[in-house]
Amino acid sequence: MSDAAASDRQAAKAKMDELVSLCARRGFIFQSSEIYGGINGFWDYGPLGVELKNNLKALWWQKVVRERDDVVGIDSSIIAHPRTWEASGHVEHFTDPMVDCRACKKRFRADQLDDAPACSSREGTSEHDFTEARNFNLMLKTSIGASQDAAMEAYLRAETCQAIFNDFKRVRESSRQKIPFGIAQIGKAFRNEINPRNFTFRSREFEQAELEFFIHPSEREKWFESWLAERLAFHTALFGKDALRVRPHAKNELAHYAKQASDIEFLFPFGWQEIEGVHDRGDWDLSRHTQYSGKDLSITDEETKEKYTPMVIETSVGVDRTTLALLANGLVQEKLDDGETRTVLRLHPLVAPIKVAVLPLSKQLNEKAEKIAEDLRRVMNVAYDDSGNIGRRYRRQDEIGTPFCVTYDFESETDRQVTIRDRDTMKQERVALDGLVAYLRDRVEAPL
Ligand code: GAP
């Protein structure tokens, strides 16, 4: 490895260490079952993390479902009929090539051996003694039913979209939608990843927000381009355009169901990586479910009487991955004019876990300041902090991404104004208490 590459790697590791440590210290994200030493590939979201992630999901739902009259939502069960996964191709195709080291017994993805740590079990060499590559199915299994003998083997869903295909006919008919239209869902997915890594980036349990948009076969290109542009605009509003790129898939890397695909990638500290995939799935899913279930999932156009199986354009974004991207993108160490450094998490106000912190300058002012916090709490998430000097309290809010701090001071008693401090510019302005709620709502709820 060249010196430049080694130093890039070190800088990426330092940035990730800083992020992981902030996330644990401030209660965004930490290892699941931490008191038992953790469990690889599983993560828990603490009080700030759950707000951040919920805000991201709400924003996606707003843009993809509520602002459109051609998309409806569902919330399906995690466990589907096992035939679903035979029809979808996951039982046969959803595999990663994997090798085992005969010496240290560790398992690696055969296509990611460059990242494998050295073998610790061989004498005189740190090289692994690999087996041939074998395909390893990534679906997690469970069994349903109390009796061991009669238990039915099932899978935890590997992607949320299969339930959308299973429910296609019922949802279309009940919501009286016509082609083109979409069905959206946010929910957990599970994959037995061989090497979970890069914090939450590759986990074994994660959330996806997926849209399956059903179209006439003649409109595939148009809708693929339109959804790709739509989703890119969403991410650009959150991240800025320089942190993103679109990477079309080469033919040989397309998933088994895809005719065309592009990834929206984000520049993580560890390099460009996919946060969202836009796929042209053709009629793969509906045709296969028709075949496996025996239920006809084709439609007949009311006007032309044409009978056809709709094609599908899919947008699939990882909620945890995008949350991680928001944290990585936002976290900066900023040098200030007085020579000090501050840690600031520049999150878009729409996703910031806490929108405003109310800070009484003195504990004597608690009663009035608490009343302000109470009024604000009815419309946004508020923190209240009366401990420590005001500079330290600002810093605590900066590092969790709170866009505004409201300080109630002795002057507020007479002039009925408060000081609002902006997280990014650190500028302060006096605002009348009467208009405070409206002033802050304007700033934290401005549509994307
Ligand atoms: N239904 C299509 C589908 O599942 P995918 O590219 O396998 O496509 C879509 O997954 C998105 O789900 C990815 O872009 C990524 O953000 C997220 N994702 C996939 N595997 C993940 C994992 N192991 N950990 C976290 N997020 C994951």
Side-chain angles (χ1 to χ4, degrees):
M1 192 187 300
S2 73
D3 286 355
S7 101
D8 281 357
R9 249 195 192 199
Q10 234 170 12
K13 186 177 177 310
K15 173 95 196 227
M16 284 309 291
D17 287 349
E18 188 194 336
L19 188 62
V20 172
S21 140
L22 174 83
C23 282
R25 184 163 46 81
R26 298 305 311 267
F28 278 95
I29 309 171
F30 37 86
Q31 274 206 311
S32 170
S33 321
E34 215 174 4
I35 59 167
Y36 290 101
I39 169 163
N40 199 7
F42 296 89
W43 300 93
D44 289 349
Y45 286 71
L48 294 174
V50 69
E51 292 290 342
L52 174 59
K53 192 165 149 179
N54 280 345
N55 291 341
L56 178 63
K57 289 191 279 187
L59 198 55
W60 184 88
W61 197 261
Q62 177 65 25
K63 296 307 278 183
V64 175
V65 184
R66 293 216 172 140
E67 286 182 16
R68 304 183 63 109
D69 66 359
D70 57 357
V71 177
V72 291
I74 63 163
D75 180 19
S76 75
S77 67
I78 283 173
I79 294 177
H81 192 288
R83 288 279 282 166
T84 304
W85 303 103
E86 290 170 29
S88 69
H90 281 75
V91 170
E92 192 182 345
H93 297 292
F94 197 55
T95 55
D96 272 344
M98 148 229 106
V99 294
D100 291 307
C101 172
R102 293 186 188 90
C104 68
K105 311 287 179 219
K106 288 203 175 114
R107 179 167 284 182
F108 303 95
R109 258 174 73 162
D111 54 349
Q112 288 175 359
L113 291 180
D114 283 354
D115 298 329
C119 181
S120 49
S121 303
R122 292 180 75 190
E123 270 181 37
T125 174
S126 60
E127 291 206 0
H128 291 282
D129 177 14
F130 287 132
T131 59
E132 288 295 306
R134 281 186 295 139
N135 278 335
F136 175 77
N137 195 293
L138 298 184
M139 281 197 294
L140 277 145
K141 280 191 188 147
T142 186
S143 52
I144 305 168
S147 135
Q148 286 247 312
D149 305 337
M152 178 191 201
E153 197 167 72
Y155 301 100
L156 303 187
R157 65 184 175 201
E159 56 178 9
T160 57
C161 63
Q162 289 307 323
I164 295 180
F165 302 123
N166 279 354
D167 293 352
F168 168 72
K169 195 168 155 40
R170 163 79 60 199
V171 174
R172 186 179 69 82
E173 286 170 2
S174 59
S175 60
R176 305 181 63 236
Q177 288 284 346
K178 292 197 176 70
I179 302 290
F181 84 100
I183 305 178
Q185 159 155 247
I186 301 177
K188 293 268 189 179
F190 301 81
R191 294 181 190 177
N192 204 357
E193 298 284 358
I194 297 162
N195 295 328
R197 59 184 180 152
N198 287 329
F199 197 16
T200 59
F201 178 81
R202 190 181 305 287
S203 310
R204 289 177 165 144
E205 173 178 336
F206 55 95
E207 261 179 299
Q208 292 183 315
E210 298 200 298
L211 163 73
E212 308 304 315
F213 200 75
F214 300 92
I215 58 169
H216 186 271
S218 62
E219 297 199 312
R220 292 167 81 170
E221 196 58 37
K222 171 182 132 187
W223 282 111
F224 182 86
E225 292 306 327
S226 156
W227 276 110
L228 181 58
E230 184 92 3
R231 298 302 304 144
L232 185 61
F234 177 94
H235 292 295
T236 307
L238 289 177
F239 295 109
K241 67 176 174 23
D242 293 343
L244 298 167
R245 72 178 187 190
V246 173
R247 195 182 66 80
H249 280 206
K251 284 273 174 275
N252 64 0
E253 59 172 328
L254 288 174
H256 61 268
Y257 50 75
K259 299 273 188 305
Q260 182 185 181
S262 278
D263 288 343
I264 298 177
E265 295 189 336
F266 170 78
L267 184 54
F268 284 96
F270 42 86
W272 288 102
Q273 293 286 347
E274 168 189 353
I275 51 174
E276 173 147 5
V278 178
H279 290 103
D280 175 346
R281 296 179 75 114
D283 64 356
W284 164 266
D285 304 275
L286 290 185
S287 296
R288 294 274 292 194
H289 287 301
T290 295
Q291 186 189 336
Y292 278 69
S293 69
K295 302 281 181 313
D296 183 5
L297 300 178
S298 66
I299 60 135
T300 303
D301 188 300
E302 277 174 22
E303 278 164 31
T304 64
K305 306 294 174 221
E306 182 192 2
K307 187 172 184 305
Y308 64 94
T309 302
M311 302 269 161
V312 171
I313 303 300
E314 171 186 78
T315 72
S316 175
V317 63
V319 179
D320 308 84
R321 265 193 203 175
T322 308
T323 302
L324 179 62
L326 286 168
L327 290 162
N329 191 58
L331 182 60
V332 277
Q333 297 295 340
E334 192 178 82
K335 273 248 172 301
L336 302 176
D337 291 343
D338 60 8
E340 296 247 319
T341 307
R342 72 165 178 151
T343 304
V344 53
L345 194 56
R346 290 184 192 277
L347 294 173
H348 192 294
L350 280 174
V351 292
I354 292 169
K355 310 300 181 193
V356 56
V358 177
L359 318 172
L361 197 65
S362 148
K363 288 197 175 169
Q364 293 167 37
L365 301 167
N366 263 345
E367 201 179 315
K368 298 278 179 43
E370 269 167 8
K371 173 78 181 64
I372 296 173
E374 202 181 296
D375 288 346
L376 285 166
R377 261 186 209 118
R378 291 200 189 98
V379 289
M380 62 187 73
N381 204 21
V382 177
Y384 187 85
D385 186 0
D386 64 1
S387 67
N389 75 44
I390 196 78
R392 196 166 295 160
R393 283 186 265 167
Y394 284 152
R395 294 288 179 275
R396 283 204 281 265
Q397 296 302 322
D398 287 345
E399 71 169 12
I400 60 169
T402 308
F404 298 102
C405 289
V406 167
T407 307
Y408 189 86
D409 56 26
F410 289 101
E411 254 181 87
S412 310
E413 296 278 86
T414 49
D415 70 0
R416 305 280 303 148
Q417 292 189 345
V418 285
T419 301
I420 296 192
R421 177 215 185 240
D422 181 294
R423 174 197 69 201
D424 297 339
T425 62
M426 295 195 294
K427 292 225 167 74
Q428 305 192 359
E429 60 174 320
R430 294 289 281 179
V431 169
L433 258 177
D434 283 346
L436 181 66
V437 174
Y439 176 97
L440 285 168
R441 280 189 96 159
D442 267 3
R443 278 156 186 76
V444 301
E445 289 176 3
L448 204 59

